[in-house]
Amino acid sequence: VKLVESGGGSVQPGGSLRLSCVASEIPYSSYCMVWFRQSPGQEREGVAAIDSDGVTSYRDSVGGRFTISHDPERSDKTLFLDMKSLKSEDSGRYSCTIGSGVLYFEDGFYRCKFQHMGQGTQVTVSS
């Protein structure tokens, strides 16, 4: 499975961006997809997740500002992340992942056992 992200860029605080992730294929009957981000010197963190049952989950810091979506009927199997009211702390390299099985709840978070990750797209929020 190959994942290719796009849509990153530089925006001012308060701005919006739409990230896309195109999957070459989804070889799973049930699956989960997660957007991660990582900034220099920081650990990778999950931002938003969705599964084939339509369950979604968001990191507390992005709730109400980010929306993850995915239409399994689309031929291009695209995953989206709509981001608004962006803050400087949202800066980082955003990568999408996909794994078999739906999201599962553990230790207070929804999780996904992903097997594939894309190269990412850079988001910079700065005035």
Side-chain angles (χ1 to χ4, degrees):
V1 177
K2 183 177 181 181
L3 301 169
V4 179
E5 302 92 338
S6 63
S10 295
V11 296
Q12 293 186 340
S16 300
L17 282 174
R18 180 178 233 205
L19 305 185
S20 300
C21 170
V22 177
S24 60
E25 62 174 322
I26 299 182
Y28 314 117
S29 57
S30 63
Y31 55 90
C32 49
M33 304 182 81
V34 183
W35 282 102
F36 284 91
R37 69 184 178 196
Q38 187 168 22
S39 300
Q42 303 293 321
E43 291 188 0
R44 185 177 62 202
E45 59 183 19
V47 175
I50 191 168
D51 68 20
S52 50
D53 286 345
V55 175
T56 59
S57 179
Y58 297 92
R59 189 174 196 83
D60 286 346
S61 61
V62 306
R65 300 187 297 119
F66 288 15
T67 302
I68 189 171
S69 61
H70 168 64
D71 183 355
E73 301 303 318
R74 285 178 61 111
S75 59
D76 57 8
K77 310 291 190 291
T78 304
L79 175 73
F80 297 102
L81 184 67
D82 289 290
M83 308 185 294
K84 64 180 182 180
S85 303
L86 283 163
K87 305 175 181 180
S88 57
E89 52 264 42
D90 294 321
S91 297
R93 190 160 190 86
Y94 285 68
S95 302
C96 67
T97 64
I98 186 171
S100 62
V102 296
L103 295 173
Y104 65 98
F105 197 76
E106 182 179 273
D107 296 332
F109 297 96
Y110 278 100
R111 302 177 187 273
C112 172
K113 295 180 180 178
F114 69 89
Q115 287 89 34
H116 305 280
M117 174 179 276
Q119 292 298 308
T121 184
Q122 183 67 35
V123 172
T124 302
V125 185
S126 174
S127 56

PDB file of all heavy atoms in Angstrom, residues 52-86:
ATOM      1  N   SER A  52     -13.297   2.279   9.127  1.00  0.00           N
ATOM      2  CA  SER A  52     -14.255   1.908   8.090  1.00  0.00           C
ATOM      3  C   SER A  52     -15.688   1.846   8.616  1.00  0.00           C
ATOM      4  O   SER A  52     -16.624   1.766   7.824  1.00  0.00           O
ATOM      5  CB  SER A  52     -13.849   0.580   7.451  1.00  0.00           C
ATOM      6  OG  SER A  52     -13.583  -0.400   8.434  1.00  0.00           O
ATOM      7  N   ASP A  53     -15.856   1.880   9.930  1.00  0.00           N
ATOM      8  CA  ASP A  53     -17.199   1.953  10.509  1.00  0.00           C
ATOM      9  C   ASP A  53     -17.665   3.394  10.671  1.00  0.00           C
ATOM     10  O   ASP A  53     -18.779   3.640  11.114  1.00  0.00           O
ATOM     11  CB  ASP A  53     -17.239   1.263  11.873  1.00  0.00           C
ATOM     12  CG  ASP A  53     -17.207  -0.250  11.764  1.00  0.00           C
ATOM     13  OD1 ASP A  53     -17.446  -0.769  10.648  1.00  0.00           O
ATOM     14  OD2 ASP A  53     -16.935  -0.911  12.782  1.00  0.00           O
ATOM     15  N   GLY A  54     -16.778   4.337  10.347  1.00  0.00           N
ATOM     16  CA  GLY A  54     -17.120   5.748  10.469  1.00  0.00           C
ATOM     17  C   GLY A  54     -16.818   6.356  11.826  1.00  0.00           C
ATOM     18  O   GLY A  54     -17.143   7.515  12.076  1.00  0.00           O
ATOM     19  N   VAL A  55     -16.184   5.592  12.694  1.00  0.00           N
ATOM     20  CA  VAL A  55     -15.799   6.117  14.008  1.00  0.00           C
ATOM     21  C   VAL A  55     -14.639   7.086  13.831  1.00  0.00           C
ATOM     22  O   VAL A  55     -13.693   6.811  13.100  1.00  0.00           O
ATOM     23  CB  VAL A  55     -15.393   4.980  14.953  1.00  0.00           C
ATOM     24  CG1 VAL A  55     -14.887   5.542  16.280  1.00  0.00           C
ATOM     25  CG2 VAL A  55     -16.569   4.039  15.185  1.00  0.00           C
ATOM     26  N   THR A  56     -14.720   8.238  14.500  1.00  0.00           N
ATOM     27  CA  THR A  56     -13.644   9.227  14.439  1.00  0.00           C
ATOM     28  C   THR A  56     -13.156   9.558  15.838  1.00  0.00           C
ATOM     29  O   THR A  56     -13.893   9.415  16.823  1.00  0.00           O
ATOM     30  CB  THR A  56     -14.100  10.520  13.746  1.00  0.00           C
ATOM     31  OG1 THR A  56     -15.213  11.073  14.466  1.00  0.00           O
ATOM     32  CG2 THR A  56     -14.503  10.262  12.303  1.00  0.00           C
ATOM     33  N   SER A  57     -11.923  10.010  15.904  1.00  0.00           N
ATOM     34  CA  SER A  57     -11.337  10.395  17.176  1.00  0.00           C
ATOM     35  C   SER A  57     -10.332  11.502  16.921  1.00  0.00           C
ATOM     36  O   SER A  57      -9.652  11.507  15.894  1.00  0.00           O
ATOM     37  CB  SER A  57     -10.646   9.188  17.822  1.00  0.00           C
ATOM     38  OG  SER A  57     -10.042   9.552  19.044  1.00  0.00           O
ATOM     39  N   TYR A  58     -10.252  12.447  17.854  1.00  0.00           N
ATOM     40  CA  TYR A  58      -9.367  13.594  17.699  1.00  0.00           C
ATOM     41  C   TYR A  58      -8.543  13.822  18.960  1.00  0.00           C
ATOM     42  O   TYR A  58      -8.988  13.575  20.078  1.00  0.00           O
ATOM     43  CB  TYR A  58     -10.182  14.867  17.430  1.00  0.00           C
ATOM     44  CG  TYR A  58     -10.967  14.821  16.152  1.00  0.00           C
ATOM     45  CD1 TYR A  58     -12.287  14.361  16.135  1.00  0.00           C
ATOM     46  CD2 TYR A  58     -10.388  15.229  14.955  1.00  0.00           C
ATOM     47  CE1 TYR A  58     -13.006  14.308  14.959  1.00  0.00           C
ATOM     48  CE2 TYR A  58     -11.112  15.182  13.768  1.00  0.00           C
ATOM     49  CZ  TYR A  58     -12.417  14.710  13.783  1.00  0.00           C
ATOM     50  OH  TYR A  58     -13.122  14.650  12.606  1.00  0.00           O
ATOM     51  N   ARG A  59      -7.364  14.325  18.736  1.00  0.00           N
ATOM     52  CA  ARG A  59      -6.542  14.786  19.841  1.00  0.00           C
ATOM     53  C   ARG A  59      -7.259  15.973  20.472  1.00  0.00           C
ATOM     54  O   ARG A  59      -7.833  16.807  19.774  1.00  0.00           O
ATOM     55  CB  ARG A  59      -5.170  15.190  19.314  1.00  0.00           C
ATOM     56  CG  ARG A  59      -4.156  15.489  20.371  1.00  0.00           C
ATOM     57  CD  ARG A  59      -2.787  15.735  19.770  1.00  0.00           C
ATOM     58  NE  ARG A  59      -1.772  15.657  20.805  1.00  0.00           N
ATOM     59  CZ  ARG A  59      -1.252  14.536  21.235  1.00  0.00           C
ATOM     60  NH1 ARG A  59      -1.627  13.400  20.700  1.00  0.00           N
ATOM     61  NH2 ARG A  59      -0.350  14.547  22.183  1.00  0.00           N
ATOM     62  N   ASP A  60      -7.210  16.066  21.795  1.00  0.00           N
ATOM     63  CA  ASP A  60      -7.930  17.126  22.491  1.00  0.00           C
ATOM     64  C   ASP A  60      -7.580  18.509  21.955  1.00  0.00           C
ATOM     65  O   ASP A  60      -8.447  19.375  21.805  1.00  0.00           O
ATOM     66  CB  ASP A  60      -7.639  17.080  23.994  1.00  0.00           C
ATOM     67  CG  ASP A  60      -8.341  15.933  24.691  1.00  0.00           C
ATOM     68  OD1 ASP A  60      -9.251  15.328  24.083  1.00  0.00           O
ATOM     69  OD2 ASP A  60      -7.984  15.631  25.851  1.00  0.00           O
ATOM     70  N   SER A  61      -6.319  18.734  21.640  1.00  0.00           N
ATOM     71  CA  SER A  61      -5.869  20.075  21.243  1.00  0.00           C
ATOM     72  C   SER A  61      -6.400  20.513  19.877  1.00  0.00           C
ATOM     73  O   SER A  61      -6.327  21.696  19.536  1.00  0.00           O
ATOM     74  CB  SER A  61      -4.342  20.152  21.246  1.00  0.00           C
ATOM     75  OG  SER A  61      -3.807  19.229  20.315  1.00  0.00           O
ATOM     76  N   VAL A  62      -6.920  19.568  19.079  1.00  0.00           N
ATOM     77  CA  VAL A  62      -7.416  19.935  17.746  1.00  0.00           C
ATOM     78  C   VAL A  62      -8.928  19.767  17.625  1.00  0.00           C
ATOM     79  O   VAL A  62      -9.505  20.114  16.591  1.00  0.00           O
ATOM     80  CB  VAL A  62      -6.737  19.106  16.631  1.00  0.00           C
ATOM     81  CG1 VAL A  62      -5.227  19.213  16.748  1.00  0.00           C
ATOM     82  CG2 VAL A  62      -7.183  17.650  16.654  1.00  0.00           C
ATOM     83  N   GLY A  63      -9.555  19.242  18.680  1.00  0.00           N
ATOM     84  CA  GLY A  63     -11.002  19.037  18.641  1.00  0.00           C
ATOM     85  C   GLY A  63     -11.749  20.329  18.353  1.00  0.00           C
ATOM     86  O   GLY A  63     -11.437  21.367  18.940  1.00  0.00           O
ATOM     87  N   GLY A  64     -12.712  20.255  17.421  1.00  0.00           N
ATOM     88  CA  GLY A  64     -13.478  21.424  17.042  1.00  0.00           C
ATOM     89  C   GLY A  64     -12.826  22.259  15.958  1.00  0.00           C
ATOM     90  O   GLY A  64     -13.463  23.142  15.377  1.00  0.00           O
ATOM     91  N   ARG A  65     -11.555  22.007  15.687  1.00  0.00           N
ATOM     92  CA  ARG A  65     -10.843  22.766  14.638  1.00  0.00           C
ATOM     93  C   ARG A  65     -10.483  21.889  13.451  1.00  0.00           C
ATOM     94  O   ARG A  65     -10.404  22.361  12.329  1.00  0.00           O
ATOM     95  CB  ARG A  65      -9.561  23.387  15.205  1.00  0.00           C
ATOM     96  CG  ARG A  65      -9.794  24.351  16.352  1.00  0.00           C
ATOM     97  CD  ARG A  65      -8.495  25.068  16.748  1.00  0.00           C
ATOM     98  NE  ARG A  65      -7.482  24.136  17.240  1.00  0.00           N
ATOM     99  CZ  ARG A  65      -6.302  23.960  16.665  1.00  0.00           C
ATOM    100  NH1 ARG A  65      -5.991  24.636  15.571  1.00  0.00           N
ATOM    101  NH2 ARG A  65      -5.417  23.121  17.183  1.00  0.00           N
ATOM    102  N   PHE A  66     -10.247  20.618  13.689  1.00  0.00           N
ATOM    103  CA  PHE A  66      -9.861  19.682  12.630  1.00  0.00           C
ATOM    104  C   PHE A  66     -11.007  18.706  12.371  1.00  0.00           C
ATOM    105  O   PHE A  66     -11.725  18.313  13.294  1.00  0.00           O
ATOM    106  CB  PHE A  66      -8.631  18.875  13.043  1.00  0.00           C
ATOM    107  CG  PHE A  66      -7.341  19.642  13.071  1.00  0.00           C
ATOM    108  CD1 PHE A  66      -7.301  21.027  13.048  1.00  0.00           C
ATOM    109  CD2 PHE A  66      -6.137  18.962  13.150  1.00  0.00           C
ATOM    110  CE1 PHE A  66      -6.112  21.728  13.079  1.00  0.00           C
ATOM    111  CE2 PHE A  66      -4.925  19.640  13.189  1.00  0.00           C
ATOM    112  CZ  PHE A  66      -4.913  21.018  13.159  1.00  0.00           C
ATOM    113  N   THR A  67     -11.137  18.318  11.105  1.00  0.00           N
ATOM    114  CA  THR A  67     -12.131  17.315  10.728  1.00  0.00           C
ATOM    115  C   THR A  67     -11.490  16.291   9.811  1.00  0.00           C
ATOM    116  O   THR A  67     -10.946  16.659   8.766  1.00  0.00           O
ATOM    117  CB  THR A  67     -13.331  17.956  10.017  1.00  0.00           C
ATOM    118  OG1 THR A  67     -13.930  18.950  10.855  1.00  0.00           O
ATOM    119  CG2 THR A  67     -14.379  16.894   9.681  1.00  0.00           C
ATOM    120  N   ILE A  68     -11.561  15.046  10.209  1.00  0.00           N
ATOM    121  CA  ILE A  68     -11.046  13.960   9.383  1.00  0.00           C
ATOM    122  C   ILE A  68     -12.216  13.339   8.624  1.00  0.00           C
ATOM    123  O   ILE A  68     -13.320  13.199   9.167  1.00  0.00           O
ATOM    124  CB  ILE A  68     -10.308  12.900  10.230  1.00  0.00           C
ATOM    125  CG1 ILE A  68      -9.587  11.884   9.345  1.00  0.00           C
ATOM    126  CG2 ILE A  68     -11.250  12.216  11.213  1.00  0.00           C
ATOM    127  CD1 ILE A  68      -8.661  10.936  10.122  1.00  0.00           C
ATOM    128  N   SER A  69     -11.973  12.999   7.369  1.00  0.00           N
ATOM    129  CA  SER A  69     -13.041  12.399   6.577  1.00  0.00           C
ATOM    130  C   SER A  69     -12.450  11.436   5.552  1.00  0.00           C
ATOM    131  O   SER A  69     -11.300  11.566   5.137  1.00  0.00           O
ATOM    132  CB  SER A  69     -13.883  13.466   5.883  1.00  0.00           C
ATOM    133  OG  SER A  69     -13.104  14.246   5.003  1.00  0.00           O
ATOM    134  N   HIS A  70     -13.279  10.518   5.173  1.00  0.00           N
ATOM    135  CA  HIS A  70     -12.847   9.511   4.207  1.00  0.00           C
ATOM    136  C   HIS A  70     -14.087   8.877   3.603  1.00  0.00           C
ATOM    137  O   HIS A  70     -14.996   8.495   4.333  1.00  0.00           O
ATOM    138  CB  HIS A  70     -12.005   8.446   4.902  1.00  0.00           C
ATOM    139  CG  HIS A  70     -11.741   7.226   4.080  1.00  0.00           C
ATOM    140  ND1 HIS A  70     -11.010   7.263   2.906  1.00  0.00           N
ATOM    141  CD2 HIS A  70     -12.115   5.932   4.251  1.00  0.00           C
ATOM    142  CE1 HIS A  70     -10.951   6.048   2.407  1.00  0.00           C
ATOM    143  NE2 HIS A  70     -11.607   5.225   3.190  1.00  0.00           N
ATOM    144  N   ASP A  71     -14.138   8.810   2.309  1.00  0.00           N
ATOM    145  CA  ASP A  71     -15.258   8.181   1.626  1.00  0.00           C
ATOM    146  C   ASP A  71     -14.762   6.896   0.977  1.00  0.00           C
ATOM    147  O   ASP A  71     -14.077   6.945  -0.050  1.00  0.00           O
ATOM    148  CB  ASP A  71     -15.827   9.132   0.569  1.00  0.00           C
ATOM    149  CG  ASP A  71     -17.055   8.546  -0.115  1.00  0.00           C
ATOM    150  OD1 ASP A  71     -17.401   7.368   0.159  1.00  0.00           O
ATOM    151  OD2 ASP A  71     -17.665   9.261  -0.918  1.00  0.00           O
ATOM    152  N   PRO A  72     -15.084   5.749   1.553  1.00  0.00           N
ATOM    153  CA  PRO A  72     -14.589   4.489   0.996  1.00  0.00           C
ATOM    154  C   PRO A  72     -15.140   4.183  -0.392  1.00  0.00           C
ATOM    155  O   PRO A  72     -14.617   3.311  -1.083  1.00  0.00           O
ATOM    156  CB  PRO A  72     -15.056   3.447   2.024  1.00  0.00           C
ATOM    157  CG  PRO A  72     -16.218   4.077   2.698  1.00  0.00           C
ATOM    158  CD  PRO A  72     -15.916   5.549   2.734  1.00  0.00           C
ATOM    159  N   GLU A  73     -16.172   4.909  -0.813  1.00  0.00           N
ATOM    160  CA  GLU A  73     -16.735   4.683  -2.141  1.00  0.00           C
ATOM    161  C   GLU A  73     -15.960   5.413  -3.221  1.00  0.00           C
ATOM    162  O   GLU A  73     -16.134   5.126  -4.411  1.00  0.00           O
ATOM    163  CB  GLU A  73     -18.197   5.134  -2.169  1.00  0.00           C
ATOM    164  CG  GLU A  73     -19.080   4.411  -1.159  1.00  0.00           C
ATOM    165  CD  GLU A  73     -19.063   2.900  -1.340  1.00  0.00           C
ATOM    166  OE1 GLU A  73     -19.116   2.445  -2.500  1.00  0.00           O
ATOM    167  OE2 GLU A  73     -18.992   2.172  -0.333  1.00  0.00           O
ATOM    168  N   ARG A  74     -15.126   6.358  -2.833  1.00  0.00           N
ATOM    169  CA  ARG A  74     -14.335   7.083  -3.817  1.00  0.00           C
ATOM    170  C   ARG A  74     -13.319   6.149  -4.443  1.00  0.00           C
ATOM    171  O   ARG A  74     -12.669   5.371  -3.753  1.00  0.00           O
ATOM    172  CB  ARG A  74     -13.588   8.256  -3.170  1.00  0.00           C
ATOM    173  CG  ARG A  74     -14.448   9.452  -2.824  1.00  0.00           C
ATOM    174  CD  ARG A  74     -13.611  10.512  -2.140  1.00  0.00           C
ATOM    175  NE  ARG A  74     -12.535  10.994  -2.987  1.00  0.00           N
ATOM    176  CZ  ARG A  74     -12.477  12.199  -3.508  1.00  0.00           C
ATOM    177  NH1 ARG A  74     -13.466  13.057  -3.271  1.00  0.00           N
ATOM    178  NH2 ARG A  74     -11.457  12.586  -4.256  1.00  0.00           N
ATOM    179  N   SER A  75     -13.149   6.260  -5.718  1.00  0.00           N
ATOM    180  CA  SER A  75     -12.214   5.377  -6.420  1.00  0.00           C
ATOM    181  C   SER A  75     -10.772   5.668  -6.026  1.00  0.00           C
ATOM    182  O   SER A  75      -9.922   4.781  -6.083  1.00  0.00           O
ATOM    183  CB  SER A  75     -12.370   5.531  -7.932  1.00  0.00           C
ATOM    184  OG  SER A  75     -12.132   6.870  -8.313  1.00  0.00           O
ATOM    185  N   ASP A  76     -10.481   6.910  -5.605  1.00  0.00           N
ATOM    186  CA  ASP A  76      -9.098   7.242  -5.264  1.00  0.00           C
ATOM    187  C   ASP A  76      -8.782   7.015  -3.802  1.00  0.00           C
ATOM    188  O   ASP A  76      -7.671   7.283  -3.370  1.00  0.00           O
ATOM    189  CB  ASP A  76      -8.768   8.683  -5.664  1.00  0.00           C
ATOM    190  CG  ASP A  76      -9.702   9.694  -5.023  1.00  0.00           C
ATOM    191  OD1 ASP A  76     -10.506   9.298  -4.165  1.00  0.00           O
ATOM    192  OD2 ASP A  76      -9.618  10.876  -5.406  1.00  0.00           O
ATOM    193  N   LYS A  77      -9.765   6.536  -3.022  1.00  0.00           N
ATOM    194  CA  LYS A  77      -9.521   6.123  -1.623  1.00  0.00           C
ATOM    195  C   LYS A  77      -8.868   7.244  -0.822  1.00  0.00           C
ATOM    196  O   LYS A  77      -7.957   7.024  -0.031  1.00  0.00           O
ATOM    197  CB  LYS A  77      -8.614   4.886  -1.577  1.00  0.00           C
ATOM    198  CG  LYS A  77      -9.038   3.751  -2.472  1.00  0.00           C
ATOM    199  CD  LYS A  77     -10.298   3.117  -1.995  1.00  0.00           C
ATOM    200  CE  LYS A  77     -10.607   1.833  -2.734  1.00  0.00           C
ATOM    201  NZ  LYS A  77     -10.966   2.029  -4.143  1.00  0.00           N
ATOM    202  N   THR A  78      -9.302   8.487  -1.016  1.00  0.00           N
ATOM    203  CA  THR A  78      -8.639   9.629  -0.384  1.00  0.00           C
ATOM    204  C   THR A  78      -9.097   9.857   1.051  1.00  0.00           C
ATOM    205  O   THR A  78     -10.275   9.782   1.375  1.00  0.00           O
ATOM    206  CB  THR A  78      -8.893  10.907  -1.200  1.00  0.00           C
ATOM    207  OG1 THR A  78      -8.456  10.691  -2.537  1.00  0.00           O
ATOM    208  CG2 THR A  78      -8.140  12.079  -0.606  1.00  0.00           C
ATOM    209  N   LEU A  79      -8.128  10.142   1.895  1.00  0.00           N
ATOM    210  CA  LEU A  79      -8.351  10.555   3.283  1.00  0.00           C
ATOM    211  C   LEU A  79      -8.086  12.051   3.359  1.00  0.00           C
ATOM    212  O   LEU A  79      -7.112  12.534   2.788  1.00  0.00           O
ATOM    213  CB  LEU A  79      -7.404   9.808   4.218  1.00  0.00           C
ATOM    214  CG  LEU A  79      -7.428  10.197   5.693  1.00  0.00           C
ATOM    215  CD1 LEU A  79      -8.697   9.670   6.361  1.00  0.00           C
ATOM    216  CD2 LEU A  79      -6.185   9.655   6.399  1.00  0.00           C
ATOM    217  N   PHE A  80      -8.947  12.792   4.045  1.00  0.00           N
ATOM    218  CA  PHE A  80      -8.792  14.239   4.170  1.00  0.00           C
ATOM    219  C   PHE A  80      -8.619  14.649   5.629  1.00  0.00           C
ATOM    220  O   PHE A  80      -9.089  13.977   6.536  1.00  0.00           O
ATOM    221  CB  PHE A  80     -10.018  14.967   3.611  1.00  0.00           C
ATOM    222  CG  PHE A  80     -10.252  14.762   2.140  1.00  0.00           C
ATOM    223  CD1 PHE A  80     -11.219  13.870   1.702  1.00  0.00           C
ATOM    224  CD2 PHE A  80      -9.509  15.466   1.206  1.00  0.00           C
ATOM    225  CE1 PHE A  80     -11.445  13.678   0.346  1.00  0.00           C
ATOM    226  CE2 PHE A  80      -9.728  15.285  -0.153  1.00  0.00           C
ATOM    227  CZ  PHE A  80     -10.691  14.385  -0.582  1.00  0.00           C
ATOM    228  N   LEU A  81      -7.950  15.779   5.802  1.00  0.00           N
ATOM    229  CA  LEU A  81      -7.902  16.424   7.108  1.00  0.00           C
ATOM    230  C   LEU A  81      -8.121  17.908   6.875  1.00  0.00           C
ATOM    231  O   LEU A  81      -7.260  18.586   6.313  1.00  0.00           O
ATOM    232  CB  LEU A  81      -6.570  16.187   7.814  1.00  0.00           C
ATOM    233  CG  LEU A  81      -6.491  16.758   9.229  1.00  0.00           C
ATOM    234  CD1 LEU A  81      -7.462  16.009  10.163  1.00  0.00           C
ATOM    235  CD2 LEU A  81      -5.075  16.669   9.791  1.00  0.00           C
ATOM    236  N   ASP A  82      -9.283  18.399   7.252  1.00  0.00           N
ATOM    237  CA  ASP A  82      -9.596  19.814   7.144  1.00  0.00           C
ATOM    238  C   ASP A  82      -9.200  20.497   8.441  1.00  0.00           C
ATOM    239  O   ASP A  82      -9.677  20.117   9.513  1.00  0.00           O
ATOM    240  CB  ASP A  82     -11.081  20.026   6.860  1.00  0.00           C
ATOM    241  CG  ASP A  82     -11.455  19.602   5.456  1.00  0.00           C
ATOM    242  OD1 ASP A  82     -11.037  20.297   4.511  1.00  0.00           O
ATOM    243  OD2 ASP A  82     -12.134  18.580   5.299  1.00  0.00           O
ATOM    244  N   MET A  83      -8.329  21.481   8.327  1.00  0.00           N
ATOM    245  CA  MET A  83      -7.809  22.168   9.499  1.00  0.00           C
ATOM    246  C   MET A  83      -8.168  23.649   9.421  1.00  0.00           C
ATOM    247  O   MET A  83      -7.915  24.294   8.410  1.00  0.00           O
ATOM    248  CB  MET A  83      -6.286  22.005   9.570  1.00  0.00           C
ATOM    249  CG  MET A  83      -5.819  20.552   9.466  1.00  0.00           C
ATOM    250  SD  MET A  83      -4.038  20.357   9.688  1.00  0.00           S
ATOM    251  CE  MET A  83      -3.443  21.223   8.245  1.00  0.00           C
ATOM    252  N   LYS A  84      -8.744  24.184  10.473  1.00  0.00           N
ATOM    253  CA  LYS A  84      -9.084  25.606  10.530  1.00  0.00           C
ATOM    254  C   LYS A  84      -8.593  26.185  11.846  1.00  0.00           C
ATOM    255  O   LYS A  84      -8.204  25.443  12.758  1.00  0.00           O
ATOM    256  CB  LYS A  84     -10.593  25.803  10.378  1.00  0.00           C
ATOM    257  CG  LYS A  84     -11.432  25.218  11.493  1.00  0.00           C
ATOM    258  CD  LYS A  84     -12.916  25.469  11.267  1.00  0.00           C
ATOM    259  CE  LYS A  84     -13.751  24.912  12.414  1.00  0.00           C
ATOM    260  NZ  LYS A  84     -15.213  25.163  12.202  1.00  0.00           N
ATOM    261  N   SER A  85      -8.618  27.502  11.924  1.00  0.00           N
ATOM    262  CA  SER A  85      -8.142  28.196  13.123  1.00  0.00           C
ATOM    263  C   SER A  85      -6.773  27.666  13.546  1.00  0.00           C
ATOM    264  O   SER A  85      -6.534  27.379  14.719  1.00  0.00           O
ATOM    265  CB  SER A  85      -9.149  28.031  14.270  1.00  0.00           C
ATOM    266  OG  SER A  85     -10.421  28.506  13.902  1.00  0.00           O
ATOM    267  N   LEU A  86      -5.889  27.559  12.580  1.00  0.00           N
ATOM    268  CA  LEU A  86      -4.581  26.971  12.836  1.00  0.00           C
ATOM    269  C   LEU A  86      -3.757  27.820  13.798  1.00  0.00           C
ATOM    270  O   LEU A  86      -3.832  29.058  13.795  1.00  0.00           O
ATOM    271  CB  LEU A  86      -3.839  26.774  11.524  1.00  0.00           C
ATOM    272  CG  LEU A  86      -4.323  25.563  10.697  1.00  0.00           C
ATOM    273  CD1 LEU A  86      -3.856  25.663   9.260  1.00  0.00           C
ATOM    274  CD2 LEU A  86      -3.836  24.273  11.339  1.00  0.00           C
TER     275      LEU A  86
END
